[in-house]
Amino acid sequence: MDATTAGETIALQPGESAPRIPRPDGARAPLKANIFEFAVGLSSQLQPMFPYDGAGAIVPCAAVMQGVDDGHYGHFFHFNTIEEIALVYGSNNAMLATGSVFATQQLHGVNSFLKDPADPDAFILITITQHQSEDGDQTEAVIFRCQKCSHELVRFGYDATPHDVAGHDASQWGGGPDDRVPMFATLWGSVSAAAEYNHEAVRTCPECGHVNPEFPTHLWGWQRWVTQWRTVNAARKALEASAAAQASPAVPPAATQAGAR
C-alpha cells in the first residue's frame, strides 16, 4: 500500500498507517509581519517580532544597526544553551552580506557587524531567531571581556526557561504569574549585565589595568524595552482593576442610609 505526502509517494509496510501532521492546537494563531516595516518601529535591538515565546516557540527578533559618529557600539558575548539562527535582510559596508544566513554557536560574539561603525552609510538589518526550550531548563549568559587582554570582566548568567515550562523564574526581574506580557529574558539579562559592567571599577581590568570604555546601552535600547514591559503589565492590571470596580454592584442609597443609622 502506498500513501502520498507532500507530493511524494511513500511505500508503507503492512500494518503501517500514513503519517499525519497534527492539526494546529490554536495556542499560537498564525501571524505575519514585514521585517522592513517592523524594523522602523524598533525600540530595542533583538526585539521579538511576535508575541509567542513559550515552550518550543520559534522567536524571530529584529535588529537594525547604522553608522554612528564615534563608531562605538561596544562588544560582548552571548551564551545560550540552544543555538540561534541569523538572517541578514539587507546590509552595506557590513561584515555580513545581504542574504547571509548562519547558525550561531552557543557562545558567540555580538557587535554592530559593521566594517566601519562610524560610516553613516553603513547599515545592517538582521533577524536573530531563538528557539525556546520545550520541556527543560534553558540558560543564557551575557559576558564582557577586556578589549585589550580578553580577561573576563562580567559574566551575568540567568535562567531563560520559558514562562510555561517548569522551572521558569520570573522573580529575577520582579515579575510574577499574573504578568499579561511575559518578559523576554535575553533583553532583561542584557540590561542587567551592561549595568554591572558599566561601573568603572568593573571596567578596569584586574589583569592588565586597561580601563575599558562604557558600553553604549542607549544604542541597543534594551532598557527602554524592559521599562516599557513593566509599564505595559502595570497598565493591564490597572485596566483589570477598573473593569472589576465597574462590574461591582452599586449599593442602593436606602441601604447606605440604613447602615449609617
Side-chain angles (χ1 to χ4, degrees):
M1 179 180 179
D2 294 337
T4 302
T5 302
E8 297 184 5
T9 300
I10 301 174
L12 300 177
Q13 300 299 317
E16 288 185 335
S17 58
R20 290 180 177 274
I21 298 175
R23 290 180 177 275
D25 60 9
R28 301 176 189 140
L31 298 174
K32 66 178 182 178
N34 182 303
I35 180 62
F36 301 100
E37 296 171 352
F38 182 87
V40 172
L42 284 181
S43 63
S44 170
Q45 308 296 359
L46 199 72
Q47 181 169 317
M49 297 182 63
F50 302 102
Y52 305 138
D53 59 359
I58 303 298
V59 188
C61 303
V64 58
M65 303 283 195
Q66 54 280 319
V68 294
D69 290 340
D70 62 3
H72 177 48
Y73 267 99
H75 183 274
F76 62 96
F77 294 86
H78 179 227
F79 171 82
N80 192 343
T81 50
I82 300 179
E83 292 82 358
E84 303 166 1
I85 302 295
L87 174 58
V88 181
Y89 282 86
S91 69
N92 180 58
N93 195 16
M95 292 180 284
L96 302 174
T98 300
S100 299
V101 58
F102 61 93
T104 67
Q105 297 184 12
Q106 289 182 321
L107 177 63
H108 51 276
V110 183
N111 54 41
S112 70
F113 299 110
L114 303 178
K115 292 180 180 178
D116 180 4
D119 176 5
D121 293 324
F123 64 81
I124 187 169
L125 173 59
I126 186 172
T127 58
I128 300 91
T129 299
Q130 296 192 9
H131 181 199
Q132 302 292 73
S133 170
E134 295 192 28
D135 56 8
D137 293 342
Q138 184 166 353
T139 59
E140 297 183 31
V142 173
I143 302 154
F144 287 92
R145 297 182 181 275
C146 175
Q147 65 178 195
K148 186 175 181 180
C149 71
S150 297
H151 177 73
E152 186 175 292
L153 302 174
V154 169
R155 175 181 287 265
F156 187 87
Y158 51 96
D159 181 3
T161 303
H163 58 87
D164 51 357
V165 173
H168 172 72
D169 180 15
S171 66
Q172 300 173 99
W173 44 79
D178 58 346
D179 292 335
R180 182 64 176 82
V181 179
M183 170 62 74
F184 187 54
T186 307
L187 295 181
W188 172 81
S190 300
V191 167
S192 302
E196 183 176 329
Y197 165 80
N198 273 341
H199 293 290
E200 184 173 344
V202 177
R203 291 186 287 110
T204 303
C205 181
E207 291 293 313
C208 69
H210 177 69
V211 180
N212 292 271
E214 287 192 26
F215 185 81
T217 52
H218 64 284
L219 292 177
W220 295 79
W222 304 322
Q223 182 62 68
R224 181 174 182 178
W225 193 95
V226 171
T227 299
Q228 290 181 171
W229 170 86
R230 298 188 192 282
T231 302
V232 165
N233 277 298
R236 175 69 185 202
K237 291 172 184 176
L239 176 63
E240 292 172 345
S242 178
Q246 294 293 328
S248 299
V251 179
T256 302
Q257 295 171 5
R261 293 196 296 270

